[in-house]
Amino acid sequence: MTIKNYINGEFIDPVDGNYIDNFNPSIGEVYGQIPNSSIEDVELAYKAAKEAFPIWSKTTLEERSRILLKVADLITDKLDFLAEAETKDNGKPLSLAKTIDIPRASSNFRFFANAITQFPSEAHESVGLNAMNFTLRHPIGVVGCISPWNLPLYLFTWKIAPAIAAGNCVVAKPSEVTPMTAYLLGEICNEAGLPKGVLNIVHGLGQTTGQAIVEHQSIKAISFTGGTATGAHIARTAAPMFKKLSLELGGKNPNIIFSDADYDEMLATTVKSSFANQGQICLCGSRIFVEETIYEKFKKDFVNKVSKLKVGNPFDADTNLGALVSKPHLEKVKSYIDIAEKEGGKILFGGKKVTVLGSENGYYLQPTVIEIQDNSCKLNQEEIFGPVVTIMPFKTEEEVLEYANDVSYGLSATLWTNNLNRTMRMTQELQAGIVWVNTWLLRDLRTPFGGVKASGVGREGGFEALRFFTEPKNICIKY
Ligand code: NAD
């Protein structure tokens, strides 16, 4: 199957006819081609967006909202079809694509369709100076949205929906590793009646297509989700051009478990926060710290539960872990497991590639649990982004806070305790953009989403996203 670019409401070939392979990770085979778009393709997308902007930016909020709600409904109508496409492209269990990825893509459109109708601007009365200020929030113009492969349609739409709800026109690029559902979104947007040029989707490699979006003089803002090194490169390129930047980057999140937590719930959720989506979620709690008094019990129970997870064909209903997204990524994850023992780690479970009957060339890996002695090891400092977690005991609150914060990343943290005072103390001190207490991945789309330190700059979600995709202008009137 050959994917095309979606520009000005039409599906077109890349100008220079360059294509790259698209893999199905569950069988390790090429199943299609995608454009490797050049500067010329990005320019075509930009021109279409620029032309659509004057009308779209003046379209009433009610009308924008109506179209976005229609997109949301169509995603829901096509849930099975989109989930199957996502699973084939990404390797994730179909059950996950059906319950998390695709429903959330629909929710993203529904949420911002509603949020834009409630988005306020500010007024400030300058008391005693006979002046009144009010702030306009206008759309920026043409904006760029670049997303990763781990939650393909989910994260792609998390950017696009607020961008177009706020009245911008978009040049978007999904990951070249998982382009399929973004391609299908173009058809849905046409069906929903989104005017031509409001959303343009160019496919291709980061260094070529992505770079062309970031370097484009007239694309005024970049919303990027992906790796920290890529984010730093994008910042270096875009900052001298004074572009607005939102960078959602990597994570190395602590999962802190105290003995007073609700044990069974903690255990079941910790299995999920370790291995959901093969551990390829930026919010996974890959560094597990357990209070010494329950450490041995936790170790036994956790390994026991993990050993029962089924690694298999992602289309099988009983599969818990599907394939990793690509061969290079599988090799990268495996390379961390290979250094574990050199670093003094002990593999308690997993660590090996899995051969799935009938899908022998797929990229499968066992869920892996490694006991470590020292938080400063590479396994605990670098983002592995696969089905690999470490476990380590701690004695005191102060000690575990130090471990949790002693890392370059700061995306999320999970805390398991029923002690209210401890919860208040620790949530103040944890260096993270999101802290979950006695839960994980519970998302309310109104809340600010993003990280600190090497996990990024800026926040998505709710009005934060609408603020990012609008330019405030203060008007001061003296009377
Ligand atoms: P990546 O940085 O390799 O790629 C992300 C996107 O950027 C892709 O579309 C890619 O083509 C593009 N890109 C690459 N080089 C570029 C360049 N020079 N200019 C413009 N675009 C470029 O990341 P990935 O491997 O696709 O995704 C995994 C990473 O994403 C992990 O680090 C993970 O933690 C992170 N992530 C973060 C969040 C978050 O919300 N913070 C969410 C999901 C994933």
mmCIF file of all heavy atoms in Angstrom, residues 24-50:
data_model
loop_
_atom_site.group_PDB
_atom_site.id
_atom_site.type_symbol
_atom_site.label_atom_id
_atom_site.label_comp_id
_atom_site.label_asym_id
_atom_site.label_seq_id
_atom_site.Cartn_x
_atom_site.Cartn_y
_atom_site.Cartn_z
ATOM 1 N N ASN A 24 5.643 -3.668 8.868
ATOM 2 C CA ASN A 24 4.717 -4.238 9.842
ATOM 3 C C ASN A 24 5.581 -4.946 10.892
ATOM 4 O O ASN A 24 6.143 -6.006 10.626
ATOM 5 C CB ASN A 24 3.788 -5.229 9.134
ATOM 6 C CG ASN A 24 2.909 -6.005 10.101
ATOM 7 O OD1 ASN A 24 3.178 -6.039 11.294
ATOM 8 N ND2 ASN A 24 1.881 -6.643 9.575
ATOM 9 N N PRO A 25 5.724 -4.359 12.088
ATOM 10 C CA PRO A 25 6.674 -4.913 13.064
ATOM 11 C C PRO A 25 6.283 -6.289 13.604
ATOM 12 O O PRO A 25 7.143 -7.022 14.086
ATOM 13 C CB PRO A 25 6.681 -3.879 14.186
ATOM 14 C CG PRO A 25 5.453 -3.065 14.012
ATOM 15 C CD PRO A 25 5.046 -3.147 12.575
ATOM 16 N N SER A 26 5.000 -6.630 13.521
ATOM 17 C CA SER A 26 4.606 -7.917 14.096
ATOM 18 C C SER A 26 5.065 -9.088 13.227
ATOM 19 O O SER A 26 5.164 -10.214 13.703
ATOM 20 C CB SER A 26 3.089 -7.970 14.315
ATOM 21 O OG SER A 26 2.419 -8.001 13.088
ATOM 22 N N ILE A 27 5.361 -8.826 11.938
ATOM 23 C CA ILE A 27 5.912 -9.903 11.092
ATOM 24 C C ILE A 27 7.282 -9.529 10.527
ATOM 25 O O ILE A 27 7.918 -10.318 9.830
ATOM 26 C CB ILE A 27 4.947 -10.288 9.938
ATOM 27 C CG1 ILE A 27 4.519 -9.052 9.145
ATOM 28 C CG2 ILE A 27 3.720 -11.031 10.477
ATOM 29 C CD1 ILE A 27 3.755 -9.380 7.860
ATOM 30 N N GLY A 28 7.728 -8.307 10.820
ATOM 31 C CA GLY A 28 9.051 -7.878 10.376
ATOM 32 C C GLY A 28 9.163 -7.760 8.871
ATOM 33 O O GLY A 28 10.223 -8.046 8.297
ATOM 34 N N GLU A 29 8.081 -7.360 8.219
ATOM 35 C CA GLU A 29 8.123 -7.253 6.748
ATOM 36 C C GLU A 29 7.611 -5.905 6.279
ATOM 37 O O GLU A 29 6.748 -5.299 6.915
ATOM 38 C CB GLU A 29 7.246 -8.353 6.129
ATOM 39 C CG GLU A 29 7.930 -9.701 6.144
ATOM 40 C CD GLU A 29 7.018 -10.813 5.656
ATOM 41 O OE1 GLU A 29 5.977 -10.512 5.027
ATOM 42 O OE2 GLU A 29 7.362 -11.980 5.919
ATOM 43 N N VAL A 30 8.131 -5.504 5.112
ATOM 44 C CA VAL A 30 7.660 -4.269 4.479
ATOM 45 C C VAL A 30 6.242 -4.518 3.980
ATOM 46 O O VAL A 30 5.969 -5.545 3.371
ATOM 47 C CB VAL A 30 8.568 -3.906 3.281
ATOM 48 C CG1 VAL A 30 7.998 -2.720 2.502
ATOM 49 C CG2 VAL A 30 9.985 -3.596 3.762
ATOM 50 N N TYR A 31 5.341 -3.586 4.264
ATOM 51 C CA TYR A 31 3.990 -3.763 3.717
ATOM 52 C C TYR A 31 3.496 -2.545 2.958
ATOM 53 O O TYR A 31 2.341 -2.480 2.552
ATOM 54 C CB TYR A 31 3.001 -4.179 4.811
ATOM 55 C CG TYR A 31 2.433 -3.071 5.683
ATOM 56 C CD1 TYR A 31 1.128 -2.656 5.535
ATOM 57 C CD2 TYR A 31 3.207 -2.457 6.661
ATOM 58 C CE1 TYR A 31 0.587 -1.650 6.347
ATOM 59 C CE2 TYR A 31 2.684 -1.461 7.469
ATOM 60 C CZ TYR A 31 1.370 -1.067 7.308
ATOM 61 O OH TYR A 31 0.852 -0.076 8.103
ATOM 62 N N GLY A 32 4.371 -1.584 2.755
ATOM 63 C CA GLY A 32 3.941 -0.417 1.990
ATOM 64 C C GLY A 32 5.057 0.593 1.840
ATOM 65 O O GLY A 32 6.180 0.380 2.313
ATOM 66 N N GLN A 33 4.704 1.669 1.160
ATOM 67 C CA GLN A 33 5.665 2.744 0.934
ATOM 68 C C GLN A 33 5.055 4.066 1.404
ATOM 69 O O GLN A 33 3.836 4.241 1.307
ATOM 70 C CB GLN A 33 5.943 2.883 -0.572
ATOM 71 C CG GLN A 33 7.302 2.349 -1.017
ATOM 72 C CD GLN A 33 7.356 0.848 -0.989
ATOM 73 O OE1 GLN A 33 6.415 0.210 -1.428
ATOM 74 N NE2 GLN A 33 8.433 0.302 -0.461
ATOM 75 N N ILE A 34 5.930 4.948 1.870
ATOM 76 C CA ILE A 34 5.443 6.280 2.236
ATOM 77 C C ILE A 34 6.351 7.327 1.590
ATOM 78 O O ILE A 34 7.535 7.063 1.351
ATOM 79 C CB ILE A 34 5.380 6.492 3.764
ATOM 80 C CG1 ILE A 34 6.769 6.748 4.379
ATOM 81 C CG2 ILE A 34 4.762 5.300 4.456
ATOM 82 C CD1 ILE A 34 6.682 7.362 5.765
ATOM 83 N N PRO A 35 5.816 8.517 1.285
ATOM 84 C CA PRO A 35 6.649 9.553 0.673
ATOM 85 C C PRO A 35 7.794 9.937 1.606
ATOM 86 O O PRO A 35 7.595 9.970 2.821
ATOM 87 C CB PRO A 35 5.697 10.749 0.525
ATOM 88 C CG PRO A 35 4.320 10.196 0.631
ATOM 89 C CD PRO A 35 4.422 8.983 1.499
ATOM 90 N N ASN A 36 8.976 10.180 1.047
ATOM 91 C CA ASN A 36 9.992 10.879 1.826
ATOM 92 C C ASN A 36 9.992 12.311 1.307
ATOM 93 O O ASN A 36 10.741 12.664 0.393
ATOM 94 C CB ASN A 36 11.363 10.226 1.693
ATOM 95 C CG ASN A 36 12.358 10.870 2.662
ATOM 96 O OD1 ASN A 36 11.949 11.554 3.615
ATOM 97 N ND2 ASN A 36 13.632 10.690 2.419
ATOM 98 N N SER A 37 9.131 13.103 1.876
ATOM 99 C CA SER A 37 8.849 14.430 1.318
ATOM 100 C C SER A 37 10.049 15.355 1.453
ATOM 101 O O SER A 37 10.811 15.287 2.419
ATOM 102 C CB SER A 37 7.648 15.035 2.042
ATOM 103 O OG SER A 37 6.543 14.170 1.909
ATOM 104 N N SER A 38 10.171 16.228 0.470
ATOM 105 C CA SER A 38 11.303 17.163 0.426
ATOM 106 C C SER A 38 10.823 18.566 0.801
ATOM 107 O O SER A 38 9.644 18.777 1.098
ATOM 108 C CB SER A 38 11.854 17.185 -0.997
ATOM 109 O OG SER A 38 10.824 17.671 -1.844
ATOM 110 N N ILE A 39 11.747 19.506 0.701
ATOM 111 C CA ILE A 39 11.414 20.916 0.964
ATOM 112 C C ILE A 39 10.261 21.354 0.063
ATOM 113 O O ILE A 39 9.380 22.105 0.487
ATOM 114 C CB ILE A 39 12.664 21.805 0.721
ATOM 115 C CG1 ILE A 39 13.704 21.522 1.802
ATOM 116 C CG2 ILE A 39 12.312 23.287 0.674
ATOM 117 C CD1 ILE A 39 15.004 22.286 1.640
ATOM 118 N N GLU A 40 10.261 20.866 -1.191
ATOM 119 C CA GLU A 40 9.203 21.274 -2.148
ATOM 120 C C GLU A 40 7.827 20.822 -1.655
ATOM 121 O O GLU A 40 6.845 21.548 -1.783
ATOM 122 C CB GLU A 40 9.445 20.669 -3.551
ATOM 123 C CG GLU A 40 10.566 21.330 -4.344
ATOM 124 C CD GLU A 40 11.944 20.902 -3.873
ATOM 125 O OE1 GLU A 40 12.093 19.726 -3.465
ATOM 126 O OE2 GLU A 40 12.857 21.755 -3.854
ATOM 127 N N ASP A 41 7.747 19.606 -1.117
ATOM 128 C CA ASP A 41 6.447 19.113 -0.624
ATOM 129 C C ASP A 41 5.978 19.933 0.578
ATOM 130 O O ASP A 41 4.795 20.261 0.694
ATOM 131 C CB ASP A 41 6.554 17.636 -0.231
ATOM 132 C CG ASP A 41 6.965 16.782 -1.420
ATOM 133 O OD1 ASP A 41 6.202 16.730 -2.393
ATOM 134 O OD2 ASP A 41 8.055 16.192 -1.367
ATOM 135 N N VAL A 42 6.932 20.243 1.459
ATOM 136 C CA VAL A 42 6.578 21.049 2.637
ATOM 137 C C VAL A 42 6.117 22.432 2.176
ATOM 138 O O VAL A 42 5.157 22.995 2.715
ATOM 139 C CB VAL A 42 7.776 21.128 3.624
ATOM 140 C CG1 VAL A 42 7.530 22.157 4.723
ATOM 141 C CG2 VAL A 42 8.034 19.751 4.236
ATOM 142 N N GLU A 43 6.760 22.947 1.122
ATOM 143 C CA GLU A 43 6.359 24.259 0.596
ATOM 144 C C GLU A 43 4.928 24.203 0.044
ATOM 145 O O GLU A 43 4.133 25.123 0.266
ATOM 146 C CB GLU A 43 7.362 24.696 -0.496
ATOM 147 C CG GLU A 43 7.171 26.116 -1.012
ATOM 148 C CD GLU A 43 7.248 27.193 0.086
ATOM 149 O OE1 GLU A 43 7.901 26.959 1.110
ATOM 150 O OE2 GLU A 43 6.589 28.252 -0.097
ATOM 151 N N LEU A 44 4.609 23.111 -0.667
ATOM 152 C CA LEU A 44 3.233 22.972 -1.184
ATOM 153 C C LEU A 44 2.226 22.942 -0.029
ATOM 154 O O LEU A 44 1.169 23.573 -0.089
ATOM 155 C CB LEU A 44 3.096 21.666 -1.983
ATOM 156 C CG LEU A 44 3.719 21.616 -3.383
ATOM 157 C CD1 LEU A 44 3.517 20.235 -3.983
ATOM 158 C CD2 LEU A 44 3.114 22.702 -4.272
ATOM 159 N N ALA A 45 2.586 22.206 1.011
ATOM 160 C CA ALA A 45 1.695 22.101 2.174
ATOM 161 C C ALA A 45 1.552 23.467 2.834
ATOM 162 O O ALA A 45 0.452 23.883 3.213
ATOM 163 C CB ALA A 45 2.253 21.088 3.166
ATOM 164 N N TYR A 46 2.678 24.166 2.945
ATOM 165 C CA TYR A 46 2.641 25.507 3.551
ATOM 166 C C TYR A 46 1.725 26.434 2.753
ATOM 167 O O TYR A 46 0.897 27.161 3.329
ATOM 168 C CB TYR A 46 4.061 26.102 3.652
ATOM 169 C CG TYR A 46 3.998 27.574 3.965
ATOM 170 C CD1 TYR A 46 3.628 28.011 5.234
ATOM 171 C CD2 TYR A 46 4.220 28.530 2.965
ATOM 172 C CE1 TYR A 46 3.491 29.365 5.513
ATOM 173 C CE2 TYR A 46 4.079 29.881 3.233
ATOM 174 C CZ TYR A 46 3.716 30.291 4.516
ATOM 175 O OH TYR A 46 3.557 31.632 4.782
ATOM 176 N N LYS A 47 1.879 26.404 1.418
ATOM 177 C CA LYS A 47 1.081 27.315 0.578
ATOM 178 C C LYS A 47 -0.416 27.027 0.734
ATOM 179 O O LYS A 47 -1.229 27.946 0.807
ATOM 180 C CB LYS A 47 1.484 27.164 -0.898
ATOM 181 C CG LYS A 47 2.763 27.912 -1.196
ATOM 182 C CD LYS A 47 3.000 28.043 -2.677
ATOM 183 C CE LYS A 47 4.255 28.856 -2.943
ATOM 184 N NZ LYS A 47 5.108 28.237 -3.955
ATOM 185 N N ALA A 48 -0.756 25.749 0.784
ATOM 186 C CA ALA A 48 -2.176 25.383 0.954
ATOM 187 C C ALA A 48 -2.688 25.901 2.300
ATOM 188 O O ALA A 48 -3.798 26.446 2.398
ATOM 189 C CB ALA A 48 -2.330 23.867 0.871
ATOM 190 N N ALA A 49 -1.857 25.744 3.335
ATOM 191 C CA ALA A 49 -2.253 26.197 4.677
ATOM 192 C C ALA A 49 -2.395 27.717 4.701
ATOM 193 O O ALA A 49 -3.358 28.259 5.256
ATOM 194 C CB ALA A 49 -1.219 25.737 5.701
ATOM 195 N N LYS A 50 -1.446 28.386 4.062
ATOM 196 C CA LYS A 50 -1.457 29.865 4.055
ATOM 197 C C LYS A 50 -2.718 30.372 3.359
ATOM 198 O O LYS A 50 -3.346 31.336 3.800
ATOM 199 C CB LYS A 50 -0.207 30.360 3.322
ATOM 200 C CG LYS A 50 -0.036 31.843 3.390
ATOM 201 C CD LYS A 50 1.197 32.285 2.644
ATOM 202 C CE LYS A 50 1.172 33.797 2.478
ATOM 203 N NZ LYS A 50 1.696 34.211 1.203
#
